Structure formats: structure tokens, C-alpha cells
Amino acid sequence: MSVLVLIENIEGNFKKKSFELAQYAATIAKNLGTEATALVLGTCDNAAMTQLGAYGTNKVLHVADTKLNQLSAKAYAKAVIAAAEKIGAKVIIASHDNVGKSVAPMVAAHIKAGIITGAVSYPDTSNGFVVKRNVFGGKAFAFVNISTDTKVLTLLPNSFPVIAAEGTATAETLAVSFDDQDFGITVKETNKVTGAVPLGEAELVVSGGRGLKGPENWGIIEDLAATMGAATACSRPVADSHWRPHHEHVGQTGGTIRPNLYIAIGISGAIQHLAGVNGSKTIVVINKDPEAPFFKAADYGVIGDALEVTPKLNEAMKKFKAAQH
Ligand SMILES: Cc1cc2nc3c(=O)[nH]c(=O)nc-3n(C[C@H](O)[C@H](O)[C@H](O)COP(=O)(O)OP(=O)(O)OC[C@H]3O[C@@H](n4cnc5c(N)ncnc54)[C@H](O)[C@@H]3O)c2cc1C
């Protein structure tokens, strides 16, 4: 019995969510008295792969086929199944992101394994294999048991703090043969997200909604974010109206983020928006309507006009930062 974890490789590098995933898999393996092996697909050099050892996965299987540099769910699933067979994996883990959401269900269906998607806890193995996951857009939790021999999990990113330790991983090449059918659906083009702080990785997020009135007022959001070293986000109607790019849209139909601090400015707090942000450690809401539903989810609230309060908050933040130096 061992644990296999699919680690997404982005142009030969790993993101914070991959280290979190490696650490999650290593902890599960340790609790089960076994080891975790990472699976890396596509071009990646040894130096990058050795980093995974600092998060507890000391072994890496590497399928170096360059066709895997772009996501092809069927080919990825084939590689995962081959790696799982090689090490006799009984727990297979992926991230609850674009890659994991498309690959993990294929793997589970193929090997007839039970699957839990969007896990936010370690499995409780005291009576079965029970994992906590968000349901109803993050309004509630479900505790789900997998009873099949092999189990598949996807972990919701930002569920655990990432802590690097000592250790390096050793990589071994795994040969998997693919045919054209495995690449029936491929990514043709990727538009990279620009911005100082990637939203999915950000610890601090400043987010704006329709209360900002229009894109011409977004400077106050960007200024505050720049002062704080935060990423910017927005509600869906803001992205739908092309005030902001769609990759900034958070919520049920957008990104799910769990930063340490989420500042929501001129956002009503509809349930579909909260679904993407209610895992944030601290929520600050600025809204002129004291009845705005977001205040119920907030740790701190300011009732006031965003166009007045936000620049003042920025000035206060600048003074606070200056006093720290
Ligand atoms: C199937 C489905 C999926 C959806 N998915 C998402 C999703 O993923 N993400 C998402 O965000 N939404 C989603 N929505 C839309 C969601 O229901 C809300 O309509 C949306 O979140 C509202 O965005 P908003 O708060 O920016 O705008 P509004 O609802 O218009 O709220 C604007 C807020 O700004 C406040 N305000 C106005 N002027 C000021 C001012 N000067 N200063 C301070 N505050 C001010 C108002 O009091 C109000 O609370 C979805 C809806 C459906 C049906």
C-alpha cells in the first residue's frame, strides 16, 4: 500500500499548491505507515523535482514525454494509472484544480475507485476512510467515507499551511506509451495571467464589486493592493461587464481562494460569491448598505462609500507600513 500524488508541473516549476499537495500526500502516507510518491508529467529537471522532498515526498516518478507539457486529461490519467500500478498505490491524490478535476474522475472511473473531490481535511481512518469536503458552495461540510480498496482524492488548494522542512527527493523515469487517442483533447493555447501577485497563491486579496460603479474607479483597488502586496479579485458581474479580466472573478463559477485576508469592497455577498471566498481566514467588508449580506460573513466591516473609504484605508496602510520600517 502506498500513496501517489499527481504534482502539476508548470514549465518545469511548481506552485505553492503543489507543495501543499506533496505535504498533504506525505502526511496521509505517514499516518497510514507508508510512503508518498510524486508523479511529475512533462519536461522538468531534477533540480526542480528534488524540492518536493522538503514537503515529505522523497520519491518522484517522472514521465518526461514532451506532449505532456500541456494538459491532456486522458494521457494524464493513463500516466497516473501506470504509476499507481507500478507502486501499488491505494490512495491517489490530485489537486482540486483544472488538472485534478479533469484527471482524477477519469482515473477513479477506470480503476473503479471511490473518489472524494474538494477534500479539506486529512482522512480519518479510525472507522473507515472519512474525509471532510465543502458542500452547498461552502455553506456546509460533508464527511464522506470511501469504502473501495483504492481511494482517489482531490485536495482543495489553500486548505493547509505549507511548511518546508529538510529533505530532497530522488526522481526515477517512468516509461508510459501513449497513442494519438490519448491526445484527442489538448490545450491549444494558454493565456498567462499577468499581475504582481497570482490570485490563487495570494495571502492577501483586495476585491471589488459592482459598488465600484465602473472600471474607471479600479485604481483605488489596485493602489490598495499595491500598498499591501495583495492580489486583486472581483465579483462575477464585474468580470462579465469587462471591467476586470475573467481570471479575477471569484465564486461558485470562478476561482476558489482561501487567503489570510480578503477585503471585499462594494460587493453584496451573494451566496455564489461567498462560495469562492468563505474559506478566507479573515474577511473585511466595505459596503455602504448596512444590510448587505456580506456583513454576516465578515470579521470586520466598514459601512461607508467605497470611493471614500478605500483611499483612506490605503493612506492608513501606507502609514502603517512606513512605521514598520
Ligand atoms: C449560477 C450563478 C452563479 C454565480 N456565480 C457567481 C460567482 O462565481 N461569483 C460572483 O461574484 N457572483 C456570482 N453570481 C452572481 C451573484 O448572484 C451576484 O449577482 C453577484 O455576486 C453580485 O455582484 P456584486 O456584489 O458585485 O454586485 P451587486 O449585487 O450589484 O452589489 C453591489 C454592492 O455594492 C454596494 N455598493 C454600491 N455602491 C457602493 C458604494 N459607493 N460603496 C460601497 N458599497 C457600495 C451595494 O450596497 C451592494 O451590496 C452567480 C449567480 C448565479 C445565478
Side-chain angles (χ1 to χ4, degrees):
M1 178 195 237
S2 67
V3 174
L4 180 73
V5 56
L6 173 61
I7 297 290
E8 189 185 5
N9 145 34
I10 299 165
E11 295 176 359
N13 275 312
F14 304 114
K15 291 201 166 180
K16 186 184 128 200
K17 66 179 176 185
S18 296
F19 296 132
E20 181 189 7
L21 196 61
Q23 180 183 282
Y24 180 70
T27 306
I28 291 178
K30 197 172 165 201
N31 293 343
L32 295 173
T34 181
E35 282 189 334
T37 300
L39 175 65
V40 175
L41 306 177
T43 309
C44 191
D45 63 24
N46 269 328
M49 289 188 282
T50 56
Q51 295 175 75
L52 296 171
Y55 304 92
T57 45
N58 298 323
K59 290 183 188 163
V60 179
L61 288 175
H62 182 207
V63 185
D65 194 319
T66 53
K67 283 204 281 249
L68 300 173
N69 288 348
Q70 295 278 15
L71 171 64
S72 168
K74 209 170 165 195
Y76 275 37
K78 193 175 200 180
V80 170
I81 292 163
E85 274 172 11
K86 180 178 166 69
I87 64 166
K90 291 293 177 200
V91 182
I92 300 171
I93 302 169
S95 184
H96 195 64
D97 58 12
N98 282 347
V99 173
K101 282 186 208 172
S102 54
V103 176
M106 270 193 198
V107 171
H110 193 86
I111 62 173
K112 297 187 170 44
I115 180 169
I116 295 175
T117 55
V120 294
S121 78
Y122 290 108
D124 177 355
T125 53
S126 57
N127 185 14
F129 192 94
V130 178
V131 178
K132 184 168 141 186
R133 67 185 295 266
N134 284 346
V135 289
F136 301 123
K139 288 291 255 187
F141 294 116
F143 292 83
V144 187
N145 182 45
I146 310 185
S147 54
T148 49
D149 187 33
T150 303
K151 294 129 177 49
V152 178
L153 296 177
T154 62
L155 172 70
L156 196 66
N158 296 323
S159 293
F160 296 98
V162 185
I163 302 158
E166 296 292 311
T168 54
T170 319
E172 183 190 328
T173 302
L174 175 69
V176 180
S177 55
F178 299 101
D179 52 45
D180 287 349
Q181 294 247 315
D182 296 324
F183 296 93
I185 299 173
T186 50
V187 177
K188 297 306 283 178
E189 190 185 328
T190 307
N191 293 327
K192 283 194 190 159
V193 171
T194 52
V197 186
L199 182 56
E201 313 243 313
E203 301 288 354
L204 309 172
V205 175
V206 180
S207 186
R210 221 154 29 181
L212 267 293
K213 314 289 185 212
E216 66 280 6
N217 290 325
W218 231 263
I220 58 173
I221 299 280
E222 287 174 331
D223 289 348
L224 178 59
T227 304
M228 295 172 60
T232 50
C234 68
S235 66
R236 176 171 153 172
V238 163
D240 285 347
S241 310
H242 306 289
W243 297 0
R244 298 298 291 175
H246 259 291
H247 64 76
E248 287 197 359
H249 147 211
V250 288
Q252 184 184 318
T253 46
T256 301
I257 54 170
R258 299 163 76 89
N260 281 331
L261 176 63
Y262 183 73
I263 305 182
I265 304 177
I267 305 177
S268 57
I271 184 170
Q272 295 91 354
H273 184 84
L274 290 176
V277 304
N278 61 6
S280 307
K281 309 284 178 299
T282 302
I283 296 177
V284 176
V285 169
I286 301 171
N287 197 303
K288 70 173 187 183
D289 175 8
E291 302 298 323
F294 222 146
F295 283 120
K296 291 204 177 90
D299 298 283
Y300 301 93
V302 179
I303 299 166
D305 187 332
L307 303 179
E308 289 172 20
V309 175
T310 312
K312 284 185 183 156
L313 179 59
N314 189 22
E315 286 314 309
M317 197 68 78
K318 280 183 185 162
K319 280 190 194 143
F320 173 72
K321 287 240 163 188
Q324 283 186 316
H325 294 298

